[in-house]
Amino acid sequence: MWDFNFSHSIGAMVKTAPYILVRMAVYFGIALLYILATGGGGAIGYGLSSFGDGEGAGAFYGALIGFGGASGFLYWAREYILYLVKAGHIAVLTKLYDGEELPGGRGQVDYGIEIVKDNFKEASILFAVDQLIKGVLKVITGVLNTLTAFLPIPVIRTLTDIVGKILTMSLTYVDEIILAYHFRKGGDNVWQSSKEGLVLYAQNYGKMVKNAVWLWLLMWILTIVIFLVLLAPAVAIISYFPGSAGGWSFILAFLTAWSFKAALLEPVALYALMQAYFKTIEGQDPDAVWEERLEKASGKFRELKDKATAFVSSKMPGKKDPEEPAAET
């Protein structure tokens, strides 16, 4: 059915508990930011529209503005969340997979950050690599949609469209295992190792997608269960908000469920997919045929390959290191 041991993933979370606590602090902090921004915006909107005949109708719009403001701030901060939280956890999980003993407590978090900084001098470099990886993965997944777009039977075409959307959403964990491949392989040329990791993923696409889809389904089933459990207390909290903000109880419950998913469930899925990936590619070399296919199909892959070549050239005698690339948005 799948190629990972779920109990090993749970065990990995126990062994990296310091990072789980950091993730909980960050992602529940994000949920709290949304709650405060939405509630505060709703209160201000209610107050401003309470004069005259407004009767507090501005509560909804105030809450919407607060929600949008929090989203804008987090869009700006996403590079640093990736750099200091997600990548650090990926790094220590990769070391754990290879049997390395990890430090405990705060030392484990510092160790993960140190590994990330040794490989990516700035957050913008990691973010640029991550965006290129995601761009290539979208092309790989898009091939399936392109091939099935011309099927003559509407039912089959609709089914493949649904599968294609699930495959696209399941990429949440795949870009992180490509980073894990780099951490495992080591070396200074992250562009080259990321390119190799993508080729290895592509040449084992069927097996990797099977595992990614199973994990995506499991994670979202658990997230929906958490959402339903949290909905009642969310309604109780929102009932204290001024005006007609009752509809935000669903958003509050979803944000809290999302926090559980991001802090606790996603690293479980990541380690499970890491098991499947490393097990599948064991003893394999990147296939030149698949590299050529990706190079023809994806501009992002060509860019990744060019950066890998430029990095090698910069290390030749008499050459200076090229200026580090800015993050792509």
Side-chain angles (χ1 to χ4, degrees):
M1 184 178 292
W2 50 62
D3 304 292
F4 54 82
N5 188 314
F6 210 73
S7 64
H8 288 179
S9 294
I10 301 297
M13 298 310 104
V14 174
K15 292 177 181 177
T16 60
Y19 255 106
I20 295 296
L21 292 175
V22 170
R23 293 178 73 110
M24 290 179 66
V26 169
Y27 290 111
F28 280 98
I30 290 173
L32 181 61
L33 172 65
Y34 271 114
I35 293 168
L36 293 177
T38 302
I44 293 172
Y46 179 83
L48 292 176
S49 60
S50 293
F51 299 101
D53 298 328
E55 297 182 354
F60 174 81
Y61 297 103
L64 188 62
I65 292 172
F67 186 87
S71 298
F73 171 77
L74 291 172
Y75 181 83
W76 172 82
R78 70 198 188 284
E79 287 186 32
Y80 302 98
I81 294 174
L82 172 67
Y83 189 64
L84 297 176
V85 180
K86 296 183 75 173
H89 199 191
I90 294 169
V92 297
L93 285 172
T94 305
K95 298 295 183 182
L96 179 65
Y97 180 87
D98 286 330
E100 181 175 316
E101 288 291 331
L102 300 175
R106 174 71 193 187
Q108 184 180 115
V109 177
D110 292 338
Y111 179 54
I113 293 174
E114 181 184 348
I115 296 172
V116 175
K117 289 183 175 179
D118 285 344
N119 287 270
F120 305 94
K121 302 304 180 186
E122 299 176 9
S124 60
I125 302 172
L126 172 58
F127 190 69
V129 173
D130 188 61
Q131 293 302 298
L132 287 176
I133 291 171
K134 286 179 177 177
V136 178
L137 289 170
K138 287 178 181 177
V139 170
I140 296 173
T141 304
V143 171
L144 176 63
N145 295 339
T146 301
L147 292 175
T148 58
F150 303 102
L151 290 174
I153 304 175
V155 174
I156 296 178
R157 190 165 61 245
T158 300
L159 180 61
T160 54
D161 287 344
I162 294 172
V163 172
K165 288 181 173 61
I166 293 176
L167 293 180
T168 300
M169 289 183 285
S170 71
L171 295 180
T172 301
Y173 316 118
V174 177
D175 64 305
E176 296 181 359
I177 66 167
I178 303 301
L179 289 178
Y181 176 83
H182 167 71
F183 287 132
R184 195 180 192 205
K185 182 177 180 180
D188 296 331
N189 195 342
V190 63
W191 313 103
Q192 177 65 24
S193 59
S194 297
K195 178 176 76 71
E196 292 177 2
L198 283 165
V199 174
L200 288 166
Y201 172 80
Q203 68 194 50
N204 295 283
Y205 181 68
K207 181 174 286 191
M208 294 310 305
V209 163
K210 176 191 71 173
N211 286 280
V213 170
W214 271 116
L215 284 167
W216 180 84
L217 290 172
L218 287 171
M219 293 304 104
W220 275 107
I221 288 171
L222 291 172
T223 302
I224 291 171
V225 170
I226 294 171
F227 168 78
L228 295 175
V229 170
L230 294 172
L231 186 57
V235 171
I237 293 173
I238 292 296
S239 66
Y240 290 100
F241 282 29
S244 56
W248 290 96
S249 57
F250 291 93
I251 296 177
L252 173 59
F254 177 80
L255 285 173
T256 309
W258 170 84
S259 299
F260 274 106
K261 177 178 178 291
L264 301 174
L265 301 183
E266 284 189 3
V268 172
L270 165 63
Y271 194 77
L273 197 61
M274 188 187 298
Q275 293 175 60
Y277 179 68
F278 289 146
K279 178 182 177 182
T280 300
I281 68 171
E282 188 69 34
Q284 294 186 18
D285 293 318
D287 190 330
V289 174
W290 269 105
E291 182 173 339
E292 184 179 354
R293 289 173 180 170
L294 291 177
E295 191 171 355
K296 289 179 180 179
S298 172
K300 296 290 187 183
F301 186 83
R302 293 192 294 273
E303 184 178 350
L304 193 62
K305 186 173 181 178
D306 289 343
K307 290 183 182 297
T309 303
F311 184 88
V312 173
S313 298
S314 72
K315 296 302 180 181
M316 296 175 64
K319 297 276 184 140
K320 293 183 179 180
D321 287 350
E323 184 177 342
E324 300 292 5
E328 296 183 12
T329 57

